[in-house]
mmCIF file of all heavy atoms in Angstrom:
data_model
loop_
_atom_site.group_PDB
_atom_site.id
_atom_site.type_symbol
_atom_site.label_atom_id
_atom_site.label_comp_id
_atom_site.label_asym_id
_atom_site.label_seq_id
_atom_site.Cartn_x
_atom_site.Cartn_y
_atom_site.Cartn_z
ATOM 1 N N ARG A 18 218.379 1.287 -14.888
ATOM 2 C CA ARG A 18 218.091 2.088 -16.005
ATOM 3 C C ARG A 18 219.043 1.862 -17.263
ATOM 4 O O ARG A 18 219.529 2.763 -17.924
ATOM 5 C CB ARG A 18 218.245 3.572 -15.583
ATOM 6 C CG ARG A 18 217.219 3.898 -14.424
ATOM 7 C CD ARG A 18 217.102 5.379 -14.100
ATOM 8 N NE ARG A 18 216.505 6.133 -15.172
ATOM 9 C CZ ARG A 18 215.343 6.205 -15.419
ATOM 10 N NH1 ARG A 18 214.335 5.637 -14.713
ATOM 11 N NH2 ARG A 18 214.775 7.066 -16.410
ATOM 12 N N ASP A 19 219.244 0.517 -17.402
ATOM 13 C CA ASP A 19 220.049 0.088 -18.593
ATOM 14 C C ASP A 19 219.311 -0.240 -19.797
ATOM 15 O O ASP A 19 218.891 -1.280 -20.102
ATOM 16 C CB ASP A 19 220.857 -1.163 -18.145
ATOM 17 C CG ASP A 19 221.766 -1.601 -19.185
ATOM 18 O OD1 ASP A 19 221.834 -1.068 -20.329
ATOM 19 O OD2 ASP A 19 222.648 -2.587 -18.828
ATOM 20 N N ARG A 20 218.979 0.896 -20.520
ATOM 21 C CA ARG A 20 218.144 0.680 -21.683
ATOM 22 C C ARG A 20 218.691 -0.134 -22.798
ATOM 23 O O ARG A 20 218.017 -0.935 -23.361
ATOM 24 C CB ARG A 20 217.773 2.159 -22.198
ATOM 25 C CG ARG A 20 216.857 2.240 -23.374
ATOM 26 C CD ARG A 20 216.629 3.564 -23.940
ATOM 27 N NE ARG A 20 215.674 3.610 -24.892
ATOM 28 C CZ ARG A 20 215.692 3.141 -26.086
ATOM 29 N NH1 ARG A 20 216.803 2.491 -26.531
ATOM 30 N NH2 ARG A 20 214.726 3.129 -27.015
ATOM 31 N N ALA A 21 219.879 0.102 -22.980
ATOM 32 C CA ALA A 21 220.645 -0.664 -23.987
ATOM 33 C C ALA A 21 220.618 -2.161 -23.736
ATOM 34 O O ALA A 21 220.479 -3.007 -24.617
ATOM 35 C CB ALA A 21 222.158 -0.197 -24.129
ATOM 36 N N GLY A 22 220.928 -2.600 -22.484
ATOM 37 C CA GLY A 22 220.702 -3.982 -21.987
ATOM 38 C C GLY A 22 219.372 -4.508 -22.297
ATOM 39 O O GLY A 22 219.236 -5.696 -22.625
ATOM 40 N N LEU A 23 218.334 -3.746 -21.953
ATOM 41 C CA LEU A 23 216.991 -4.254 -22.148
ATOM 42 C C LEU A 23 216.699 -4.446 -23.653
ATOM 43 O O LEU A 23 216.082 -5.490 -23.955
ATOM 44 C CB LEU A 23 215.957 -3.132 -21.572
ATOM 45 C CG LEU A 23 215.891 -3.201 -20.016
ATOM 46 C CD1 LEU A 23 215.343 -1.862 -19.562
ATOM 47 C CD2 LEU A 23 215.131 -4.401 -19.551
ATOM 48 N N ILE A 24 217.064 -3.588 -24.491
ATOM 49 C CA ILE A 24 216.886 -3.647 -25.858
ATOM 50 C C ILE A 24 217.700 -4.899 -26.436
ATOM 51 O O ILE A 24 217.087 -5.672 -27.199
ATOM 52 C CB ILE A 24 217.239 -2.369 -26.658
ATOM 53 C CG1 ILE A 24 216.355 -1.194 -26.281
ATOM 54 C CG2 ILE A 24 217.225 -2.606 -28.213
ATOM 55 C CD1 ILE A 24 214.813 -1.471 -26.413
ATOM 56 N N GLN A 25 218.981 -5.032 -25.951
ATOM 57 C CA GLN A 25 219.722 -6.216 -26.368
ATOM 58 C C GLN A 25 219.058 -7.533 -25.959
ATOM 59 O O GLN A 25 218.872 -8.505 -26.720
ATOM 60 C CB GLN A 25 221.104 -6.115 -25.824
ATOM 61 C CG GLN A 25 221.955 -7.228 -26.261
ATOM 62 C CD GLN A 25 223.459 -7.159 -25.750
ATOM 63 O OE1 GLN A 25 223.642 -6.304 -24.771
ATOM 64 N NE2 GLN A 25 224.284 -7.818 -26.314
ATOM 65 N N LEU A 26 218.568 -7.567 -24.650
ATOM 66 C CA LEU A 26 217.855 -8.709 -24.254
ATOM 67 C C LEU A 26 216.558 -9.038 -25.003
ATOM 68 O O LEU A 26 216.341 -10.214 -25.419
ATOM 69 C CB LEU A 26 217.547 -8.630 -22.755
ATOM 70 C CG LEU A 26 216.810 -9.758 -22.123
ATOM 71 C CD1 LEU A 26 217.512 -11.089 -22.210
ATOM 72 C CD2 LEU A 26 216.383 -9.451 -20.637
ATOM 73 N N ALA A 27 215.843 -7.896 -25.384
ATOM 74 C CA ALA A 27 214.573 -8.177 -26.167
ATOM 75 C C ALA A 27 214.902 -8.749 -27.460
ATOM 76 O O ALA A 27 214.315 -9.721 -28.061
ATOM 77 C CB ALA A 27 213.845 -6.850 -26.277
ATOM 78 N N ASP A 28 216.117 -8.085 -28.106
ATOM 79 C CA ASP A 28 216.389 -8.603 -29.544
ATOM 80 C C ASP A 28 216.834 -10.230 -29.480
ATOM 81 O O ASP A 28 216.597 -11.004 -30.261
ATOM 82 C CB ASP A 28 217.626 -7.837 -30.038
ATOM 83 C CG ASP A 28 217.192 -6.479 -30.395
ATOM 84 O OD1 ASP A 28 215.935 -6.165 -30.526
ATOM 85 O OD2 ASP A 28 218.065 -5.541 -30.613
ATOM 86 N N VAL A 29 217.488 -10.555 -28.364
ATOM 87 C CA VAL A 29 218.004 -11.957 -28.202
ATOM 88 C C VAL A 29 216.769 -12.880 -28.006
ATOM 89 O O VAL A 29 216.592 -13.850 -28.688
ATOM 90 C CB VAL A 29 218.974 -12.139 -27.053
ATOM 91 C CG1 VAL A 29 219.032 -13.615 -26.714
ATOM 92 C CG2 VAL A 29 220.265 -11.504 -27.377
ATOM 93 N N LEU A 30 215.793 -12.448 -27.278
ATOM 94 C CA LEU A 30 214.579 -13.076 -26.927
ATOM 95 C C LEU A 30 213.755 -13.238 -28.154
ATOM 96 O O LEU A 30 213.031 -14.268 -28.434
ATOM 97 C CB LEU A 30 213.883 -12.506 -25.833
ATOM 98 C CG LEU A 30 214.397 -12.676 -24.410
ATOM 99 C CD1 LEU A 30 213.791 -11.737 -23.427
ATOM 100 C CD2 LEU A 30 214.393 -14.099 -24.041
ATOM 101 N N ASP A 31 213.769 -12.153 -29.026
ATOM 102 C CA ASP A 31 212.994 -12.224 -30.293
ATOM 103 C C ASP A 31 213.388 -13.486 -31.269
ATOM 104 O O ASP A 31 212.802 -13.844 -31.974
ATOM 105 C CB ASP A 31 213.112 -10.948 -31.151
ATOM 106 C CG ASP A 31 212.205 -9.873 -30.620
ATOM 107 O OD1 ASP A 31 211.193 -10.149 -29.992
ATOM 108 O OD2 ASP A 31 212.466 -8.659 -30.854
ATOM 109 N N GLY A 32 214.759 -13.812 -30.977
ATOM 110 C CA GLY A 32 215.319 -14.794 -31.748
ATOM 111 C C GLY A 32 214.956 -16.256 -31.303
ATOM 112 O O GLY A 32 215.089 -17.237 -32.049
ATOM 113 N N ARG A 33 214.222 -16.298 -30.227
ATOM 114 C CA ARG A 33 213.853 -17.565 -29.615
ATOM 115 C C ARG A 33 212.518 -17.807 -30.106
ATOM 116 O O ARG A 33 211.596 -16.911 -30.424
ATOM 117 C CB ARG A 33 213.833 -17.502 -28.019
ATOM 118 C CG ARG A 33 215.079 -17.194 -27.416
ATOM 119 C CD ARG A 33 216.098 -18.401 -27.475
ATOM 120 N NE ARG A 33 217.398 -18.196 -27.068
ATOM 121 C CZ ARG A 33 217.887 -18.149 -25.882
ATOM 122 N NH1 ARG A 33 217.109 -18.525 -24.932
ATOM 123 N NH2 ARG A 33 219.188 -17.800 -25.637
ATOM 124 N N HIS A 34 211.995 -19.090 -30.236
ATOM 125 C CA HIS A 34 210.716 -19.453 -30.854
ATOM 126 C C HIS A 34 209.784 -20.006 -29.737
ATOM 127 O O HIS A 34 209.139 -21.103 -30.023
ATOM 128 C CB HIS A 34 210.902 -20.370 -32.003
ATOM 129 C CG HIS A 34 211.798 -19.729 -33.112
ATOM 130 N ND1 HIS A 34 211.255 -18.641 -33.898
ATOM 131 C CD2 HIS A 34 212.967 -19.963 -33.524
ATOM 132 C CE1 HIS A 34 212.210 -18.325 -34.711
ATOM 133 N NE2 HIS A 34 213.208 -19.079 -34.437
ATOM 134 N N THR A 35 209.619 -19.392 -28.642
ATOM 135 C CA THR A 35 208.712 -19.896 -27.575
ATOM 136 C C THR A 35 207.800 -18.643 -27.230
ATOM 137 O O THR A 35 208.122 -17.527 -27.350
ATOM 138 C CB THR A 35 209.450 -20.379 -26.325
ATOM 139 O OG1 THR A 35 210.099 -19.208 -25.687
ATOM 140 C CG2 THR A 35 210.571 -21.432 -26.669
ATOM 141 N N HIS A 36 206.698 -19.141 -26.715
ATOM 142 C CA HIS A 36 205.657 -18.055 -26.271
ATOM 143 C C HIS A 36 206.338 -17.184 -25.212
ATOM 144 O O HIS A 36 206.198 -15.978 -25.198
ATOM 145 C CB HIS A 36 204.392 -18.636 -25.833
ATOM 146 C CG HIS A 36 203.400 -17.669 -25.187
ATOM 147 N ND1 HIS A 36 202.707 -16.914 -25.989
ATOM 148 C CD2 HIS A 36 203.031 -17.511 -23.908
ATOM 149 C CE1 HIS A 36 202.014 -16.179 -25.300
ATOM 150 N NE2 HIS A 36 202.159 -16.383 -23.975
ATOM 151 N N ASP A 37 207.010 -17.902 -24.169
ATOM 152 C CA ASP A 37 207.651 -17.159 -23.162
ATOM 153 C C ASP A 37 208.750 -16.163 -23.625
ATOM 154 O O ASP A 37 208.744 -14.929 -23.136
ATOM 155 C CB ASP A 37 208.395 -17.993 -22.204
ATOM 156 C CG ASP A 37 207.428 -18.887 -21.292
ATOM 157 O OD1 ASP A 37 206.191 -18.517 -21.239
ATOM 158 O OD2 ASP A 37 207.854 -19.909 -20.784
ATOM 159 N N ALA A 38 209.407 -16.457 -24.664
ATOM 160 C CA ALA A 38 210.433 -15.427 -25.241
ATOM 161 C C ALA A 38 209.816 -14.236 -25.890
ATOM 162 O O ALA A 38 210.209 -13.112 -25.582
ATOM 163 C CB ALA A 38 211.086 -16.213 -26.322
ATOM 164 N N ARG A 39 208.628 -14.472 -26.522
ATOM 165 C CA ARG A 39 207.924 -13.342 -27.051
ATOM 166 C C ARG A 39 207.327 -12.349 -26.010
ATOM 167 O O ARG A 39 207.401 -11.201 -26.067
ATOM 168 C CB ARG A 39 206.798 -13.854 -27.933
ATOM 169 C CG ARG A 39 207.283 -14.319 -29.339
ATOM 170 C CD ARG A 39 206.094 -14.444 -30.282
ATOM 171 N NE ARG A 39 205.107 -15.529 -29.856
ATOM 172 C CZ ARG A 39 205.242 -16.812 -29.979
ATOM 173 N NH1 ARG A 39 206.177 -17.301 -30.678
ATOM 174 N NH2 ARG A 39 204.342 -17.601 -29.588
ATOM 175 N N THR A 40 206.778 -13.031 -24.913
ATOM 176 C CA THR A 40 206.237 -12.223 -23.731
ATOM 177 C C THR A 40 207.389 -11.497 -23.046
ATOM 178 O O THR A 40 207.186 -10.378 -22.650
ATOM 179 C CB THR A 40 205.510 -13.202 -22.821
ATOM 180 O OG1 THR A 40 204.466 -13.861 -23.445
ATOM 181 C CG2 THR A 40 205.068 -12.533 -21.547
ATOM 182 N N LEU A 41 208.574 -12.253 -22.827
ATOM 183 C CA LEU A 41 209.661 -11.577 -22.160
ATOM 184 C C LEU A 41 210.210 -10.450 -22.896
ATOM 185 O O LEU A 41 210.630 -9.373 -22.455
ATOM 186 C CB LEU A 41 210.614 -12.613 -21.828
ATOM 187 C CG LEU A 41 210.290 -13.593 -20.809
ATOM 188 C CD1 LEU A 41 211.284 -14.812 -20.748
ATOM 189 C CD2 LEU A 41 210.413 -12.935 -19.386
ATOM 190 N N ALA A 42 210.364 -10.641 -24.303
ATOM 191 C CA ALA A 42 210.881 -9.488 -25.201
ATOM 192 C C ALA A 42 209.903 -8.298 -25.080
ATOM 193 O O ALA A 42 210.489 -7.178 -25.040
ATOM 194 C CB ALA A 42 210.835 -10.069 -26.602
ATOM 195 N N ALA A 43 208.664 -8.510 -25.114
ATOM 196 C CA ALA A 43 207.675 -7.371 -24.880
ATOM 197 C C ALA A 43 207.853 -6.724 -23.518
ATOM 198 O O ALA A 43 207.784 -5.514 -23.476
ATOM 199 C CB ALA A 43 206.251 -7.834 -25.012
#
């Protein structure tokens, strides 16, 4: 239940330019 960790991971993944990164961020 680490909401902050999830948002941080999503933000990092948003900086990647791969299809997988966008999917994982979502």
Side-chain angles (χ1 to χ4, degrees):
R18 300 189 66 79
D19 185 350
R20 184 184 187 288
L23 286 162
I24 296 302
Q25 182 179 15
L26 179 58
D28 289 345
V29 168
L30 290 166
D31 280 340
R33 305 281 170 96
H34 300 290
T35 67
H36 175 71
D37 289 342
R39 287 190 299 272
T40 301
L41 289 164

